[in-house]
Amino acid sequence: MTIESAAPSHADAPPSGPFPGLPEEPPSASPPADPATPAPVRKPRRPRPVLLLACGLVVGTAVGGGVGYAVQANRPPTPLPRIQAVVPTYPAEVLDPAAAAEAAPAPLAIDGDLRKLLLTAPADSTGWNDYPTTPSWITVGERAERTSGVAHNFISLNEHGFRRAAEVDWKQNGLKVRITLLQRTTDFPAEAGTRDTDLQPFTADANGGYRIAAAPLYWNETTEKYYLGTAVAQRGTVQMQVEVFGTQPVDAEVVKGLAKQQWERLV
């Protein structure tokens, strides 16, 4: 009788693995590496020389400050210079009031009411538009409007020390007369036009003169002609100006007469 060997079954197979009697776990399958995914990049480490340099700067600054403080603290104190004050001195002799008054700065030549120094309009004269027929104060703006170029005149008057001005105007015998006294500050002496070389003297002691225009002029923004005669002079910070307007050439004697009368009121 032939006995055939039977193949061993799974139940008869001896256990394998570290723990006999327990089924062996299948090994975990690792996901295949993706060749397209880059490997993670490591954070760069700070170079050691940079850290050493930073530490050296901090320590060097602290050490240098401490050494400097120690050196300065060990030095002997430097004495400060003595305070020197000027002791006031007084003259031994009695002050002469007359000598002190003579040595003092001279007062302004004219510092009163300019309106009282202006000529008054003749009794038979009439008014000239809305200009003042009695001696009156005028503003810097009104003075600038008396001639063309108002903006330029306004700026020039203010830049050259305009302080105050008084004026009187009238009409008589076909002539229009305007007399102005303009005072500047002491930093800007009066400019009476004495630099003009074509001025003729109207009196011997006046530092100015008169001038008669030969050619006619035109009123501002009109075609109406007029002839002009002017006289200028100055005393101290006050400038005197006489203007005579006419439809015919102005007589020089009229201008000279008015200028001389006005000048005599200033001196």
Side-chain angles (χ1 to χ4, degrees), residues 17-113:
F19 301 98
L22 294 180
E24 184 178 0
E25 295 182 0
S28 59
S30 300
D34 189 0
T37 303
V41 181
R42 294 182 61 187
K43 186 177 181 181
R45 299 181 61 185
R46 184 181 300 275
R48 292 182 180 275
V50 176
L51 294 175
L52 294 176
L53 179 60
C55 295
L57 290 176
V58 174
V59 174
T61 303
V63 173
V67 172
Y69 176 79
V71 172
Q72 185 67 21
N74 293 328
R75 288 179 177 177
T78 302
L80 296 176
R82 298 181 59 185
I83 299 177
Q84 297 180 356
V86 179
V87 179
T89 58
Y90 302 94
E93 67 276 4
V94 179
L95 181 64
D96 184 5
E102 185 178 356
L108 297 176
I110 299 176
D111 199 27
D113 193 341

Side-chain angles (χ1 to χ4, degrees), residues 54-266:
C55 295
L57 290 176
V58 174
V59 174
T61 303
V63 173
V67 172
Y69 176 79
V71 172
Q72 185 67 21
N74 293 328
R75 288 179 177 177
T78 302
L80 296 176
R82 298 181 59 185
I83 299 177
Q84 297 180 356
V86 179
V87 179
T89 58
Y90 302 94
E93 67 276 4
V94 179
L95 181 64
D96 184 5
E102 185 178 356
L108 297 176
I110 299 176
D111 199 27
D113 193 341
L114 297 182
R115 297 173 298 177
K116 298 180 180 180
L117 300 177
L118 280 170
L119 291 176
T120 56
D124 58 344
S125 63
T126 58
W128 175 15
N129 294 339
D130 57 349
Y131 299 125
T133 55
T134 58
S136 307
W137 295 111
I138 60 173
T139 65
V140 61
E142 291 172 331
R143 177 59 185 172
E145 291 176 349
R146 295 298 186 255
T147 57
S148 59
V150 178
H152 172 76
N153 295 338
F154 184 83
I155 295 174
S156 178
L157 287 170
N158 284 281
E159 287 182 345
H160 291 80
F162 177 90
R163 179 184 175 191
R164 57 181 181 165
E167 179 183 301
V168 62
D169 302 79
W170 70 79
K171 287 172 58 177
Q172 185 184 33
N173 300 327
L175 298 175
K176 298 176 180 178
V177 178
R178 171 177 295 149
I179 302 178
T180 307
L181 296 180
L182 189 151
Q183 189 169 31
R184 305 179 190 272
T185 59
T186 55
D187 296 334
F188 295 88
E191 298 176 359
T194 54
R195 299 177 182 177
D196 297 342
T197 57
D198 57 346
L199 292 177
Q200 302 295 324
F202 58 83
T203 185
D205 59 340
N207 58 349
Y210 75 95
R211 177 174 51 214
I212 306 298
L217 304 172
Y218 292 90
W219 294 108
N220 190 27
E221 298 180 356
T222 66
T223 57
E224 183 182 358
K225 295 181 180 181
Y226 70 91
Y227 291 84
L228 177 64
T230 60
V232 290
Q234 74 179 60
R235 180 170 181 261
T237 57
V238 175
Q239 171 185 329
M240 176 196 87
Q241 184 176 18
V242 177
E243 299 172 279
V244 181
F245 306 85
T247 56
Q248 301 294 329
V250 179
D251 186 359
E253 295 300 324
V254 175
V255 178
K256 291 169 59 178
L258 291 172
K260 186 175 181 180
Q261 294 178 47
Q262 183 57 67
W263 177 253
E264 290 173 351
R265 295 179 68 92
L266 297 181

